[in-house]
Amino acid sequence: AQSVTQLGSHVSVSEGALVLLRCNYSSSVPPYLFWYVQYPNQGLQLLLKYTTGATLVKGINGFEAEFKKSETSFHLTKPSAHMSDAAEYFCAVSTSGSARQLTFGSGTQLTVLP
Amino acid sequence: DTAVSQTPKYLVTQMGNDKSIKCEQNLGHDTMYWYKQDSKKFLKIMFSYNNKELIINETVPNRFSPKSPDKAHLNLHINSLELGDSAVYFCASSQNMGLAGSEQFFGPGTRLTVL
């Protein structure tokens, strides 16, 4: 079984400040990890993903995430927040196997203050 | 060109009615999904089809019946709608469920409101 925990359902940062959204996963086999973003009244869009190889993954819009196996974490960061980053962010995990089902965390609402 | 499209975008209906939501993808993907997002934004998979074959069928009331006429389409039919069915329903597709780390592409969602 696999699961995802996102710490903090709401995160507020000032424009230009560091963005840090936390994600921890649970999986008995090597995971594939994803971050998706959902803008208001829209579907989900992939920000970045980790499958194998380099543990620091760079995505779109200046976001990156680091896979830390020892901490079972995949936190999302961006050095400088922009107003347009305000959205809901979802961490997700899937594993190998016949279904490769994607399991989502509960989401983190990011607010960017002027 | 819209990669994954859903119709309708909004659906308001009375309890007890039967309704359908349509989904189409033009990405040539083999796998399609239906997700339900509740009022707290929690996303849960409902169904998954791979090449028109049902792969995932989570604990969903049998009032919900997916239908895949071809691998580009996955429709969701809901019978005897209940208040608790009110949610946003997302369709998604991926290249192949068997490929490691396949990205899922999401449609814009259908907001269903049951009165």
Side-chain angles (χ1 to χ4, degrees):
Chain A
Q2 59 202 37
S3 65
V4 176
T5 302
Q6 290 184 240
L7 293 175
S9 58
H10 291 85
V11 170
S12 293
V13 299
S14 298
E15 192 173 19
L18 172 72
V19 175
L20 170 60
L21 304 183
R22 299 178 187 274
C23 171
N24 288 88
Y25 69 90
S26 171
S27 173
S28 57
V29 296
Y32 304 113
L33 295 159
F34 305 79
W35 275 100
Y36 282 84
V37 60
Q38 183 179 24
Y39 297 104
N41 299 314
Q42 293 186 29
L44 279 74
Q45 177 185 2
L46 183 71
L47 274 178
L48 48 80
K49 68 178 181 181
Y50 168 80
T51 53
T52 58
T55 56
L56 181 62
V57 180
K58 294 187 185 300
I60 61 172
N61 301 338
F63 284 93
E64 61 182 37
E66 187 171 10
F67 169 59
K68 292 187 176 180
K69 184 179 178 182
S70 60
E71 298 176 10
T72 62
S73 69
F74 191 57
H75 300 331
L76 182 71
T77 60
K78 181 174 180 177
S80 177
H82 192 273
M83 298 296 288
S84 61
D85 294 327
E88 187 88 20
Y89 291 80
F90 292 93
C91 183
V93 62
S94 72
T95 60
S96 59
S98 59
R100 295 189 189 272
Q101 182 174 333
L102 197 61
T103 301
F104 284 89
S106 53
T108 297
Q109 177 69 48
L110 176 66
T111 300
V112 182
L113 305 170
Chain B
D1 286 343
T2 304
V4 182
S5 59
Q6 295 179 229
T7 54
K9 189 167 175 62
Y10 299 96
L11 185 53
V12 181
T13 187
Q14 300 286 334
M15 260 194 323
N17 285 350
D18 302 338
K19 290 293 177 185
S20 292
I21 306 172
K22 296 186 176 182
C23 177
E24 177 181 2
Q25 54 95 2
N26 63 6
L27 298 167
H29 287 167
D30 289 331
T31 310
M32 296 185 73
Y33 312 81
W34 276 110
Y35 287 89
K36 180 181 180 180
Q37 186 176 47
D38 63 23
S39 58
K40 295 184 179 177
K41 300 286 183 77
F42 185 68
L43 265 167
K44 185 169 170 54
I45 190 164
M46 301 173 68
F47 301 103
S48 170
Y49 270 73
N50 191 56
N51 274 320
K52 301 195 300 174
E53 181 184 350
L54 181 64
I55 301 297
I56 295 172
N57 184 355
E58 289 297 302
T59 308
V60 175
N62 57 14
R63 298 181 295 103
F64 290 79
S65 54
K67 293 239 178 355
S68 181
D70 55 61
K71 74 174 193 179
H73 295 84
L74 181 62
N75 304 323
L76 183 64
H77 189 75
I78 315 169
N79 289 327
S80 302
L81 278 155
E82 299 178 357
L83 292 176
D85 297 332
S86 295
V88 181
Y89 293 84
F90 286 101
C91 178
S93 73
S94 65
Q95 185 176 359
N96 187 305
M97 186 182 264
L99 290 177
S102 286
E103 173 187 354
Q104 293 188 20
F105 291 79
F106 283 77
T110 296
R111 183 174 294 276
L112 171 65
T113 302
V114 182
L115 304 175

